[in-house]
Amino acid sequence: MILTHAVTRGVADGTVTAVYRRWARPRVRPGNTLTTAWGVVRIESVTPVDPSAITDADAAAAGEPSARAVLASLRGPAGAPVFRIGLGWGGEDPRHALSAETDLTREQLDDIAARLARLDRDSPWTHEVLRAVVAHPGLRAADLAALLGREKNKLKLDIRKLKNLGLTHSLEVGYRISPRGAAYLDARGT
């Protein structure tokens, strides 16, 4: 489930406590977490609702101006069930602290290398992408993909894997290497 920046900011500050989705069946479960640019969002509940029963107060709790706006935002077949997904704040994104590490031990360097080797198992790409991000900070994903001869959406997914290891940061436009990523590359001499 994808949440907008406005929704995740609202969950962080307590003004958004739910979203509505039209799905054939629920795609999240209570207890799931979503790691977003603003932090961790917990799935508190998943409840089927009658869309005609959504009120303006319900809409406000979802960060929308009206029940009409909630209904207009629903995607999918008109006959599919609508779910109210209760949201809670789970805390800061743990990748922020991870990506700030610069004094990496030999064990940490070996761990990063092993994780990157697993990502490279089918086709090596990790170091090429890291070097491209270093050389072109803030470059749009589409332009970076063209530079690397890659498909944009696949590249974005791969860069997210590097971000999960604390090696890159997403910017409003493009990406940059994190302090941890720079320390890793420096230790490797690349």
Side-chain angles (χ1 to χ4, degrees), residues 9-17 89:
R9 272 194 312 266
V11 174
D13 70 21
T15 59
V16 173
T17 58
W89 182 240

Side-chain angles (χ1 to χ4, degrees), residues 103-140:
D103 191 20
L104 300 175
T105 65
R106 174 56 45 201
E107 183 178 86
Q108 288 172 309
L109 292 168
D110 291 346
D111 180 61
I112 293 168
R115 289 171 184 255
L116 293 178
R118 281 193 296 277
L119 292 174
D120 284 338
R121 186 176 27 238
D122 294 330
S123 174
W125 61 268
T126 59
H127 288 88
E128 177 186 33
V129 170
L130 287 169
R131 286 190 300 272
V133 169
V134 168
H136 305 283
L139 190 63
R140 289 178 338 119

Side-chain angles (χ1 to χ4, degrees), residues 55-165:
T55 67
D56 286 345
D58 296 330
E64 294 286 353
S66 66
R68 178 175 283 140
V70 169
L71 296 174
S73 72
L74 295 174
R75 304 287 175 252
V82 173
F83 296 90
R84 179 192 183 278
I85 297 93
L87 305 174
W89 182 240
E92 295 298 317
D93 183 344
R95 298 175 299 187
H96 291 301
L98 180 66
S99 71
E101 294 177 348
T102 57
D103 191 20
L104 300 175
T105 65
R106 174 56 45 201
E107 183 178 86
Q108 288 172 309
L109 292 168
D110 291 346
D111 180 61
I112 293 168
R115 289 171 184 255
L116 293 178
R118 281 193 296 277
L119 292 174
D120 284 338
R121 186 176 27 238
D122 294 330
S123 174
W125 61 268
T126 59
H127 288 88
E128 177 186 33
V129 170
L130 287 169
R131 286 190 300 272
V133 169
V134 168
H136 305 283
L139 190 63
R140 289 178 338 119
D143 296 331
L144 191 60
L147 180 75
L148 295 170
R150 309 254 332 255
E151 192 272 318
K152 180 184 83 167
N153 289 334
K154 175 73 168 112
L155 176 67
K156 288 173 78 168
L157 180 63
D158 284 345
I159 291 175
R160 188 172 302 127
K161 293 172 186 175
L162 298 173
K163 183 178 180 179
N164 289 340
L165 296 175

